[in-house]
């Protein structure tokens, strides 16, 4: 039988992917039949956005994906790979476009890159193995810089699923702490009651996040009484409030480089919620052994996509924020849970800690987590398929 393929101006042959999850959040890793992208990693990202967005839609949206799918496109040739500073490049994508950083995806990629051969990962044999810690180190070039990934490794040379992968973030920093944000009437949500402002924190961990407690957002029961639709609407309106206010644009400007950024997500936090009783000897139990504190969060990012994991880049931002506020000392570990990791015994949250000082008020953060394989796929498009590459989302259908 002849293999079906995509007809049209940008032919796409069958695409082979590996799916993984990190604390419940998917990562679809793609390495073959990728549209032609050239130049620096940021130039490749710009080309993917402007010329080949159908490739993202094909793999992220229905019928091959879903509204909350997440993907990673391997880029073995970037300027930092060529210079020897990085071992592999990657572009991250989601329901809205292409992000600058992804912590849960980095953790999944760490295992995957250690497990594959040079056909997929040309620099695989150049990786450094430490026999004392039984780990393999690699540098991953992501759109916001280089993250250092450490992958526990078995004697066979394959990754060890029983121990956490860790990465050291790009410089992370807080841009606002306990900031009062006025909410114009057109952006107010019902749970605000009679209030016209909220108090938030803004921080960067490879992407910019707005942190707000569930109570401050108008939900006195916290994340223990989750009303997803209401929290979805409230977080969306809060994000629109911040983005629409020109006086708040400085919050997403890199204080070290003055580069303009964008608000990627809103993290709703609840410091009162830890993990449910974990199974003895489970990943969740091991994750909490050395941690002095815990926090649960619900993250809405991109186009209101819900992160099933604790959100690795936001963990870096939250650690940087806690360090700046003096509530987390250097080297002290904190467990960050999502609703998923809090609810499922045996499923570990992420562990975050300050790794070192990055200068100019920033820190580099170590984030630890577990990733697992879930499947292998070959995706095709028949020329007769009316959807073609224009994947869809039921949430966005307008009749």
């Amino acid at each position: 039988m002849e293999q079906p393929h995509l007809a049209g101006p940008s032919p796409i042959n069958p695409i082979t992917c590996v799916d993984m999850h990190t604390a419940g959040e998917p990562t679809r890793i793609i390495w073959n039949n990728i549209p032609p992208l050239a130049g620096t990693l940021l130039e490749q990202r710009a080309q993917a956005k402007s010329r080949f967005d159908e490739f993202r839609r094909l793999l992220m949206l229905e019928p091959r994906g879903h509204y909350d799918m997440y993907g990673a496109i391997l880029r073995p040739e970037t300027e930092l790979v060529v210079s020897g500073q990085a071992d592999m490049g990657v572009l991250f994508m989601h329901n809205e476009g292409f992000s600058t950083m992804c912590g849960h995806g980095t953790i999944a990629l760490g295992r995957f890159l250690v497990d594959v051969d040079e056909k997929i990962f040309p620099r695989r044999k150049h990786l450094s193995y430490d026999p004392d810690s039984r780990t393999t180190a690699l540098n991953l070039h992501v759109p916001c810089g280089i993250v250092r990934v450490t992958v526990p490794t078995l004697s066979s040379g394959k990754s060890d699923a029983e121990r956490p992968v860790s990465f050291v973030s790009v410089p992370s920093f807080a841009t606002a702490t306990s900031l009062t944000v006025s909410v114009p009437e057109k952006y107010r949500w019902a749970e605000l009651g009679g209030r016209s402002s909220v108090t938030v924190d803004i921080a960067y961990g490879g992407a910019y996040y707005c942190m707000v407690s569930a109570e401050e957002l108008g939900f006195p029961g916290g994340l223990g009484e989750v009303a997803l639709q209401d929290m979805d609407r409230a977080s969306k309106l809060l994000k629109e409030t911040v983005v629409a206010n020109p006086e708040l644009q400085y919050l997403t400007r890199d204080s070290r480089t003055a580069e303009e950024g964008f608000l990627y997500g809103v993290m709703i936090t609840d410091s009162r919620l830890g993990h449910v009783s974990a199974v003895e000897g489970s990943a969740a139990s091991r994750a909490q052994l050395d941690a002095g504190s815990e926090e649960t969060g619900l993250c809405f990012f991109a186009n209101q996509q819900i992160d099933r994991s604790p959100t690795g880049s936001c963990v870096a931002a939250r650690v940087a924020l806690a360090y700046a506020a003096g509530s987390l000392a250097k080297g002290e570990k904190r467990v960050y849970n999502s609703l998923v990791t809090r609810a499922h015994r045996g499923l570990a949250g992420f562990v975050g800690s300050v790794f070192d000082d990055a200068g100019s008020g920033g820190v580099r953060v170590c984030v630890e987590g577990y990733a697992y394989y879930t499947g292998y796929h070959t995706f095709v498009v028949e020329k007769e398929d009316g959807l073609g590459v224009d994947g869809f989302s039921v949430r966005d259908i307008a009749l």
Side-chain angles (χ1 to χ4, degrees):
M1 175 181 174
E2 182 182 355
Q3 283 275 25
H5 66 277
L6 176 68
S10 302
I12 298 178
N13 291 318
I15 302 165
T16 306
C17 309
V18 165
D19 276 16
M20 301 181 71
H21 85 85
T22 311
E25 178 71 1
T27 302
R28 177 162 288 166
I29 302 171
I30 309 106
W31 67 87
N32 75 328
N33 289 323
I34 295 165
L37 304 172
T40 68
L41 186 62
L42 291 182
E43 289 170 345
Q44 293 179 42
R45 179 172 177 264
Q47 292 162 25
K49 291 171 65 176
S50 64
R51 296 171 53 196
F52 302 109
D53 196 52
E54 72 271 15
F55 188 78
R56 175 190 66 84
R57 296 178 61 84
L58 171 75
L59 294 170
M60 295 296 98
L61 302 182
E62 298 179 55
R64 298 167 190 84
H66 54 82
Y67 198 77
D68 298 303
M69 177 54 72
Y70 203 94
I73 303 174
L74 295 187
R75 306 307 302 144
E77 293 186 8
T78 76
E79 72 277 20
L80 297 185
V81 173
V82 171
S83 69
Q85 299 176 67
D87 299 298
M88 173 63 79
V90 62
L91 294 177
F92 296 117
M93 57 187 182
H94 45 66
N95 69 4
E96 187 178 44
F98 294 82
S99 53
T100 55
M101 173 56 190
C102 177
H104 89 270
T106 294
I107 291 170
L109 281 166
R111 283 200 64 197
F112 175 77
L113 290 172
V114 165
D115 290 341
V116 297
D117 59 25
E118 289 182 292
K119 291 181 181 179
I120 295 175
F121 183 14
R123 289 185 53 82
R124 174 62 186 89
K125 289 186 177 179
H126 295 275
L127 300 186
S128 173
Y129 173 74
D130 183 345
D132 294 327
S133 61
R134 294 176 294 129
T135 59
T136 301
L138 64 97
N139 288 338
L140 190 65
H141 184 191
V142 302
C144 66
I146 291 180
V147 291
R148 292 168 44 190
V149 189
T150 302
V151 184
T153 309
L154 300 168
S155 58
S156 63
K158 300 297 184 181
S159 65
D160 183 356
E162 293 191 351
R163 293 184 286 152
V165 175
S166 66
F167 70 86
V168 176
S169 73
V170 296
S172 304
F173 48 85
T175 58
T177 56
S178 300
L179 176 74
T180 299
V181 175
S182 296
V183 183
E185 188 171 352
K186 67 177 180 178
Y187 293 121
R188 292 175 193 168
W189 51 95
E191 290 77 14
L192 268 182
R195 291 186 295 145
S196 61
S197 65
V198 291
T199 300
V200 305
D201 302 310
I202 309 288
Y204 176 83
Y208 287 94
Y209 293 90
C210 173
M211 270 69 74
V212 60
S213 73
E215 292 176 283
E216 182 65 20
L217 198 62
F219 298 89
L223 292 176
E225 301 176 4
V226 181
L228 276 181
Q229 286 188 328
D230 296 334
M231 290 183 173
D232 183 341
R233 175 171 170 76
S235 64
K236 181 178 181 179
L237 289 169
L238 173 58
K239 184 177 182 179
E240 290 177 356
T241 298
V242 175
V243 171
N245 189 341
E247 295 181 1
L248 300 181
Q249 289 181 356
Y250 75 95
L251 296 173
T252 53
R253 183 181 299 121
D254 191 321
S255 60
R256 300 161 306 127
T257 66
E259 287 186 9
E260 296 292 342
F262 59 93
L263 185 60
Y264 184 49
V266 172
M267 173 64 77
I268 305 172
T269 63
D270 191 337
S271 59
R272 300 170 302 179
L273 290 183
H275 200 285
V276 295
S277 299
V279 177
E280 185 177 354
S282 68
S285 295
R286 294 193 296 272
Q288 299 173 84
L289 287 177
D290 300 321
S293 55
E294 284 188 78
E295 185 175 279
T296 295
L298 168 61
C299 184
F300 293 90
F301 70 96
N303 189 13
Q304 292 304 105
Q305 190 163 334
I306 297 176
D307 199 331
R308 275 69 172 162
S309 83
T311 313
S313 53
C314 193
V315 166
R318 290 156 82 185
V319 168
L321 181 67
Y323 183 71
S327 64
L328 192 69
K330 184 175 181 180
E332 181 183 355
K333 293 185 176 183
R334 178 170 292 172
V335 172
Y336 293 88
N337 281 306
S338 64
L339 295 183
V340 175
T341 65
R342 182 181 181 274
H344 288 268
R345 296 190 303 167
L347 188 62
F350 291 168
V351 177
S353 59
V354 173
F355 181 77
D356 65 14
D357 193 313
S360 301
V363 293
R364 292 193 302 159
V365 177
C366 179
V367 180
E368 303 174 37
Y370 294 82
Y372 305 97
Y373 291 93
T374 59
Y376 303 82
H377 306 282
T378 298
F379 292 107
V380 298
V381 176
E382 293 184 288
K383 63 182 180 181
E384 296 84 2
D385 186 352
L387 276 176
V389 293
D390 191 26
F392 69 92
S393 167
V394 172
R395 286 180 53 159
D396 294 334
I397 290 177
L399 299 178

